[in-house]
Amino acid sequence: MIDIDRVQAELADHRFYWHSTIGSTMTEASRLAAAGCESGTVIGAEEQTAGQGRYGRAWHSEPGSGLYVSIVLRNPFPPDELPVVTLALGLATAEAIQKATDLACDLRWPNDVLIQSKKCAGILTHLEGPAIIAGIGINVNHPAFPDELSSIATSLRIAGGHVYSRQRLLIELVSSVMSFCALLEKQGKTPILEMFTRASSFVYGRRVFVDQGDALLRGTTDGLNQSGFLMLRGDDGKQNVVIAGGVRPCS
């Protein structure tokens, strides 16, 4: 169990709402944001019963094993910067994991954090009025995953062979999120785009397919544009701007 009083004492500028069980931290964060809570407010839980993934998928939220948090951000980012905010949150999550565990992460555009080619963390962002809700789920001390997830998901414990402090990871995560958001606010998109490009094996020269629901694109990644979208040089020679879709390496 995370000692949230100690976390609050170390991160005194933030307000923490911690739950033993909750449907979704994203839903609660949206409610608090609509009620006017301060920027940097953190909502977390030991367990989510309706954790949210991309495209309405569920997030596997095993009790007491992961870090399931949503952070309310009120930085003055325009709505069209939301894709780059997501990239900044990916960088922050990878940095926090490295600081807390010494495990190196890869970033898969736009919002997956990988270790050894398997997903260990995911990020969701959405707008609630003028606020951004940053939802971050990290698989920390899961000893195993259901059969349907074991080939694509991992945890820090599985990857590193140790049980790690979720409390320390939470402190590092909140600090990193605020640092990267401050960088984006002060210096604009360019540093975030450059850092994500360096941190991700998926941005340049990677053979991938992109599942867009009604279409499947195949090609080679060709960098990020200034909006933070992925460029894909298709097998047909066309240059595509990938605004959304599940990016996976070609086997």
Side-chain angles (χ1 to χ4, degrees):
M1 188 81 171
I2 291 175
D3 186 341
I4 205 64
D5 290 334
R6 289 194 175 187
V7 175
Q8 180 76 76
E10 188 153 346
L11 297 174
D13 291 339
H14 296 268
R15 177 72 183 273
F16 287 82
Y17 295 87
W18 207 257
H19 304 264
S20 57
T21 300
I22 198 171
S24 165
T25 62
M26 292 280 285
T27 301
E28 180 63 7
S30 294
R31 186 187 70 80
L32 290 171
C37 72
E38 295 182 356
S39 186
T41 297
V42 181
I43 298 86
E46 294 295 315
E47 176 188 22
Q48 292 184 119
T49 58
Q52 299 176 29
R54 291 186 79 201
Y55 307 122
R57 300 183 185 119
W59 180 267
H60 182 67
S61 305
E62 183 175 306
S65 295
L67 202 57
Y68 318 119
V69 299
S70 292
I71 305 172
V72 178
L73 303 171
R74 295 191 183 276
N75 306 69
F77 301 130
D80 63 359
E81 279 194 8
L82 193 60
V84 184
V85 174
T86 300
L87 303 185
L89 294 171
L91 288 164
T93 303
E95 179 184 82
I97 289 171
Q98 194 280 325
K99 286 183 175 180
T101 69
D102 287 328
L103 293 171
C105 298
D106 191 8
L107 297 172
R108 181 170 60 203
W109 185 93
N111 64 345
D112 291 340
V113 183
L114 311 179
I115 296 179
Q116 299 164 2
S117 300
K118 293 185 177 183
K119 185 172 176 176
C120 69
I123 295 145
L124 280 180
T125 54
H126 74 241
L127 294 171
E128 181 61 52
I132 295 172
I133 310 300
I136 302 171
I138 305 176
N139 301 329
V140 185
N141 290 324
H142 302 62
F145 288 89
D147 290 344
E148 65 270 19
L149 295 176
S150 60
S151 65
I152 59 173
T154 191
S155 70
L156 308 185
R157 177 180 177 178
I158 293 170
H162 300 285
V163 172
Y164 294 102
S165 168
R166 293 183 303 129
Q167 186 166 308
R168 181 184 172 199
L169 181 58
L170 174 60
I171 291 168
E172 297 288 2
L173 179 64
V174 174
S175 299
S176 288
V177 165
M178 304 314 290
S179 176
F180 276 93
C181 287
L183 176 64
L184 177 57
E185 181 178 339
K186 292 175 184 177
Q187 297 188 31
K189 300 176 183 180
T190 299
I192 299 298
L193 296 174
E194 291 177 349
M195 293 171 74
F196 193 93
T197 297
R198 290 194 299 269
S200 171
S201 71
F202 282 80
V203 169
Y204 267 113
R206 188 73 176 264
R207 285 277 301 151
V208 301
F209 68 88
V210 183
D211 184 356
Q212 298 189 309
D214 58 348
L216 193 67
L217 302 177
R218 292 184 183 273
T220 303
T221 57
D222 197 27
L224 302 172
N225 69 11
Q226 281 301 302
S227 297
F229 297 129
L230 185 67
M231 305 301 296
L232 183 75
R233 189 171 63 254
D235 290 346
D236 58 2
K238 293 180 180 178
Q239 191 82 337
N240 300 279
V241 179
V242 181
I243 296 174
V247 176
R248 297 294 183 270
C250 289
S251 55

